[in-house]
Amino acid sequence: MIKLVSFEDLLNYSLNEEKNKISNEFKKILDEMNQIVEESYTEVLREYTAKIDNLVNKSNDRIRGEIAKMEIENKRIISREMDYWIENVKENAKKMLYEFVKTEQYRKGLESIISREISEGSVVYCSSADQKIISDITKKRKISCKIVIDEKIVGGIKIYYPDKSLLKDFTLETILNQVFDDIRDKVAEILFGE
């Protein structure tokens, strides 16, 4: 027995089939569109993320460069300030030389240098305050030498040996400079705790 289907049922069936086909096609299209949008979004996100990372890295490099320049400049400023105060200590020590040349200890040291270093025919450079002391010591030791006043000398002497073309510097300024160069780091440590 054959069952007859009404036209309406047949039409509804056909419409439902077509509707399902169209619905499935739309789902496929929608999935493809979503995939295209997702891929495009991912590509754009990757591109802009790379650009942003690049800008951030450039900014960080620039900031690190500026920080490095500022650190160097700060070190220079601190170094100049330290040098200023260390030189200030040195200048104060030089001022104390004017008092030291008045002591008996200085006179004994000067006599020791003259006894050891001056030879016949030497030229001795000294301060005007030391001229008499040096003259007395050389006469006492019976050494014939020329004594020349040098107003730049605070204390001590310079001895020139004409036969050797040699100059030896025993001035207090030179000795102070050499000693100060040797203890500069210790002075900085005392002043700045470094």
Side-chain angles (χ1 to χ4, degrees):
M1 177 141 162
I2 298 177
K3 191 172 177 188
L4 291 174
V5 181
S6 71
F7 178 74
E8 255 179 56
D9 286 342
L10 190 59
L11 185 60
N12 282 337
Y13 176 77
S14 291
L15 282 172
N16 281 337
E17 280 296 311
E18 284 304 311
K19 203 165 145 188
N20 284 339
K21 282 183 189 176
I22 290 171
S23 179
N24 286 336
E25 285 299 313
F26 275 136
K27 283 181 183 176
K28 286 181 186 175
I29 290 170
L30 185 61
D31 287 344
E32 285 178 21
M33 286 175 48
N34 280 338
Q35 186 177 351
I36 290 169
V37 167
E38 185 67 31
E39 287 172 359
S40 296
Y41 170 78
T42 303
E43 180 61 31
V44 167
L45 181 64
R46 189 176 333 123
E47 182 182 325
Y48 280 97
T49 299
K51 286 181 181 179
I52 289 169
D53 286 346
N54 189 25
L55 289 172
V56 167
N57 288 336
K58 284 181 181 176
S59 293
N60 284 341
D61 289 345
R62 197 169 27 252
I63 289 169
R64 279 192 289 273
E66 289 298 318
I67 288 171
K69 279 197 268 184
M70 289 173 66
E71 285 175 352
I72 290 169
E73 185 58 28
N74 281 342
K75 285 180 182 177
R76 281 189 199 134
I77 290 169
I78 290 169
S79 178
R80 279 195 301 258
E81 280 300 309
M82 287 174 71
D83 287 344
Y84 169 79
W85 289 107
I86 290 170
E87 285 302 313
N88 203 351
V89 169
K90 186 177 177 181
E91 288 305 312
N92 284 333
K94 279 185 181 179
K95 289 176 186 173
M96 294 174 72
L97 294 178
Y98 290 99
E99 293 303 314
F100 179 68
V101 295
K102 297 174 185 174
T103 65
E104 185 60 30
Q105 183 182 5
Y106 168 72
R107 185 174 171 23
K108 286 179 182 176
L110 196 56
E111 189 170 351
S112 173
I113 292 170
I114 292 169
S115 300
R116 249 187 4 255
E117 301 293 335
I118 294 181
S119 59
E120 289 292 321
S122 299
V123 179
V124 179
Y125 296 89
C126 66
S127 68
S128 57
D130 288 340
Q131 182 183 17
K132 182 173 179 355
I133 297 169
I134 294 168
S135 179
D136 291 347
I137 295 169
T138 55
K139 283 179 185 171
K140 180 177 154 186
R141 302 235 178 241
K142 297 180 181 163
I143 301 170
S144 174
C145 64
K146 181 178 179 184
I147 300 172
V148 178
I149 294 175
D150 182 345
E151 293 301 331
K152 293 177 187 171
I153 297 175
V154 174
I157 57 175
K158 289 182 184 177
I159 305 168
Y160 178 68
Y161 305 94
D163 56 334
K164 299 176 186 175
S165 295
L166 175 68
L167 178 72
K168 289 187 177 182
D169 189 341
F170 297 98
T171 60
L172 294 180
E173 296 94 325
T174 300
I175 294 167
L176 176 66
N177 287 336
Q178 288 172 348
V179 168
F180 204 82
D181 287 344
D182 291 342
I183 64 167
R184 186 176 183 84
D185 291 340
K186 288 181 183 176
V187 171
E189 188 177 324
I190 292 167
L191 290 176
F192 310 109
E194 293 181 7

